[in-house]
Amino acid sequence: MAELALPALTMILTMILTGAGLFFFLAGSAGLIRFPDLFSRLHALTKADNLGLGLIALGVALQAETWAQVGRLALIWVLALLAAGSVALLVAGGALAEGTARGRHRP
Amino acid sequence: MTTALPLLLDAALCALILGAALATVAGRGVFRAVVFFITYGLALSIAWVRLGAVDVALAEAAIGAGLTGVLLLAAHGRLRRLRAAGDPGTGAAAWPAALAGAGLTGALIWAWFALPLPEDPGPALAGAMPHAGVGNPVTAVLLNFRAWDTLLESIVLLAALLGVWMLTRRQDWHAPPGLAQHTASGGVMAGFGRVLPPIGLMVGVWLVWAGAEGTGGAFQGGTVLAGVALLVFMAGLPPPPRISAPGLRLALVAGPAVFLMAGLAGAVLAGGFLTVPPALAKPVIVTIEVALALSIAVTLALMVIGPPEGEASHGQR
């Protein structure tokens, strides 16, 4: 990837993508802190953070030197996606079963 | 800009580590302390990467943050089930713990200043590396030059598991370990427990194998494999084996046993306990690493699952 003729352009693209990724992480964290109940917090955390991680991985992949590194970054994103999605479902299911989801952490 | 940025990153990392450590010790509530402890471990592993010690970073992330975190969470869950999860951070009972912690910190600070700085081991290690049989200096030290420490560590792990098993009541001895897992077939956990293990297995085996020449090793790979085993057990496919099963016992002692046998063979054939002739070093070290990884994986997984709890948790049995 580094042999691309326009290193400056890829650098700018990387900055834009990772910057956008950081913004989504920030939004997800804000949602985690500010949203009132467990389900909407999970929603903020999983959706925004998975998108943020994907954008950061994409931005970093533009700087990778080999395709193997790109593959590893993609694998990291897919695994994090799978883990976050499954764990969010498990947490939500557990909260539903216990009936403790709403209002428990309400300030 | 280019020189200030890494400095800024390191300073932020240091602040994060100190903040997480402080929140772990000073915060109210067991659960909060455990969560901050895990955060602390992750920040610490990033710090190890910044220091160029990738092997230590992997071990810290896998064992320090991951596995210890899960152990602490499991202990918290058990306390809560027993209705014993009060806040140990309050009242007179906290003072001895605080004093002991402060004393240990003081002793460590004293040792840091009192001990002589070791000579740079680089040149001596570089001179000895051609005889080590492996390319990774960390593995060379752990399994060849200072194999004693690693042998004893593997036995300590076994002793820790025996300590967990000692909590078993006599009538539960042949029951499956831990709590019964209720997972719906075709549910989220069952699917998760099917998708992730093949990838985890590959990563764990790779880490063990790669440890000879690059970053990785028995402890890092074994911890990943323990995670795979836990995932499979939690998904109930299949449930964990009984702790009296002979195959399980064999897997537990395989690492220390192979290590000890290699050490004794060295005493007889090569003139010293745990001495390995350079020509045989690579196969011997890889054999020990594979056996160790198996034992570490099984030991750590069983430690998290806990002792058999018999009828209390297995309902209608």
Side-chain angles (χ1 to χ4, degrees):
Chain A
M1 298 238 103
E3 71 269 15
L4 281 175
L6 299 164
L9 190 67
T10 51
M11 187 53 114
I12 291 169
L13 214 55
T14 293
M15 283 181 173
I16 293 173
L17 285 170
T18 48
L22 287 177
F23 169 76
F24 277 106
F25 263 107
L26 205 65
S29 305
L32 178 69
I33 296 169
R34 300 294 301 170
F35 281 172
D37 63 65
L38 190 138
F39 294 118
S40 46
R41 285 177 178 181
L42 277 177
H43 161 87
L45 200 61
T46 44
K47 285 191 178 148
D49 282 10
N50 284 340
L51 197 58
L53 184 63
L55 285 169
I56 288 176
L58 203 61
V60 175
L62 286 174
Q63 302 294 321
E65 284 160 8
T66 60
W67 282 105
Q69 290 176 354
V70 178
R72 268 175 245 175
L73 283 166
L75 186 66
I76 288 172
W77 183 57
V78 170
L79 287 178
L81 212 64
L82 183 73
S86 304
V87 170
L89 274 172
L90 288 173
V91 170
L96 263 184
E98 274 184 38
T100 53
R102 294 207 177 263
R104 188 181 163 199
H105 296 287
R106 205 185 291 259
Chain B
M1 175 73 185
T2 42
T3 49
L5 206 56
L7 195 69
L8 202 66
L9 182 66
D10 290 342
L13 198 55
C14 285
L16 191 64
I17 291 171
L18 287 176
L22 201 66
T24 307
V25 181
R28 288 282 167 91
V30 181
F31 184 74
R32 179 184 291 227
V34 173
V35 171
F36 272 115
F37 177 78
I38 296 172
T39 314
Y40 165 77
L42 286 175
L44 207 57
S45 68
I46 299 174
W48 284 118
V49 173
R50 291 289 300 158
L51 290 169
V54 186
D55 286 88
V56 188
L58 263 182
E60 174 63 37
I63 302 171
L67 197 109
T68 314
V70 172
L71 270 178
L72 291 172
L73 281 178
H76 173 66
R78 173 181 289 263
L79 283 174
R80 217 176 50 161
R81 280 198 304 281
L82 296 173
R83 303 264 180 272
D87 192 342
T90 53
W95 281 105
L99 281 177
L104 182 64
T105 309
L108 282 174
I109 292 172
W110 174 80
W112 171 261
F113 286 110
L115 289 174
L117 270 180
E119 283 177 44
D120 180 14
L125 186 59
M129 276 307 289
H131 312 292
V134 289
N136 181 0
V138 177
T139 307
V141 170
L142 287 183
L143 286 160
N144 197 340
F145 305 143
R146 295 283 299 172
W148 252 115
D149 301 1
T150 314
L151 174 62
L152 293 180
E153 266 172 37
S154 70
I155 295 172
V156 164
L157 265 186
L158 199 57
L161 181 65
L162 292 183
V164 171
W165 283 359
M166 276 185 193
L167 300 172
T168 312
R169 287 175 302 181
R170 178 184 281 276
Q171 69 266 29
D172 294 336
W173 190 248
H174 294 286
L179 294 170
Q181 300 293 332
H182 306 287
T183 45
S185 61
V188 180
M189 193 60 223
F192 195 47
R194 279 202 166 83
V195 173
L196 217 49
I199 305 168
L201 209 61
M202 205 171 65
V203 172
V205 170
W206 165 252
L207 275 177
V208 176
W209 170 248
E213 298 303 327
T215 297
F219 279 88
Q220 295 92 328
T223 313
V224 172
L225 293 176
V228 171
L230 283 172
L231 204 58
V232 171
F233 294 157
M234 281 194 286
L237 11 107
R242 288 158 204 281
I243 63 174
S244 51
L248 182 82
R249 303 275 181 92
L250 201 65
L252 283 176
V253 295
V258 168
F259 213 151
L260 265 178
M261 279 193 286
L264 290 174
V268 175
L269 302 172
F273 185 62
L274 287 170
T275 302
V276 185
L280 286 175
K282 172 100 190 223
V284 168
I285 288 178
V286 171
T287 309
I288 295 174
E289 286 244 78
V290 169
L292 262 188
L294 174 73
S295 292
I296 290 168
V298 177
T299 310
L300 293 182
L302 287 174
M303 230 188 276
V304 173
I305 290 176
E309 293 187 42
E311 287 163 22
S313 58
H314 290 275
Q316 61 277 43
R317 205 178 58 86

